[in-house]
Amino acid sequence: MQITSQWLDGLCFVASTEAGHSVVMEGSAAEGAARRGPTPMEMLLLGMAGCASADVVLIAQKQRQHITGCRAEISAKRADEAPRVFTEIDIRFTVSGRNLKEAAIAKAVELSAEKYCSASIMLGKTAAISHSFEIEETPDTV
């Protein structure tokens, strides 16, 4: 895996993957200016949310769960002193679908947290991570 980060100005960078996908990141914007992208630390949490959500969806689908949506919300706390690593991360999934089995979704979240989500497991080396979920029933459409 190879990533390139190119400085634009201030603390704003454009990062690109070897596949050509790009994202703007900004550590902080000039006073009065709007930030042009997420901070690098927010990018870490975005990666964790995407990684863990993909796991939950894939595992639940393999369990023949009829998922129609999956949302991950993360809240995090950082150390007060440098390095300002994450110290606590809470990820809450809202999984929607038809006739979802609570045990199947719980297993999907557990497997993501403990075995498959590299981002979550890596961040767990410095942060206490908690995982939770809720199920939203999607009505049958005619």
Side-chain angles (χ1 to χ4, degrees):
M1 185 179 299
Q2 186 169 341
I3 303 296
T4 303
S5 179
Q6 179 68 41
W7 179 50
L8 293 177
D9 58 38
L11 292 177
C12 188
F13 297 82
V14 174
S16 302
T17 67
E18 57 190 323
H21 303 286
S22 297
V23 63
V24 174
M25 298 179 291
E26 188 155 28
S28 64
E31 190 172 330
R35 262 194 8 215
R36 294 171 278 183
T39 68
M41 293 300 282
E42 288 170 330
M43 290 293 297
L44 289 172
L45 296 178
L46 288 168
M48 178 182 164
C51 181
S53 295
D55 289 339
V56 168
V57 168
L58 183 61
I59 294 165
Q61 287 175 336
K62 286 183 177 182
Q63 296 177 87
R64 294 184 168 81
Q65 298 301 293
H66 300 285
I67 292 180
T68 58
C70 180
R71 182 177 65 245
E73 295 179 16
I74 293 181
S75 59
K77 293 182 181 175
R78 293 176 63 189
D80 292 330
E81 303 292 325
R84 296 199 56 229
V85 298
F86 289 112
T87 57
E88 296 176 32
I89 301 171
D90 176 66
I91 183 166
R92 180 160 181 79
F93 298 95
T94 302
V95 182
S96 54
R98 291 180 297 282
N99 303 314
L100 299 178
K101 294 182 178 142
E102 186 169 344
I105 302 305
K107 187 67 173 177
V109 170
E110 176 187 337
L111 285 171
S112 173
E114 296 177 4
K115 185 174 182 179
Y116 293 112
C117 181
S118 302
S120 178
I121 292 166
M122 182 175 57
L123 288 170
K125 302 294 183 188
T126 62
I129 300 180
S130 60
H131 297 75
S132 60
F133 70 93
E134 66 177 303
I135 294 173
E136 289 182 348
E137 184 68 22
T138 303
D140 289 330
T141 57
V142 179

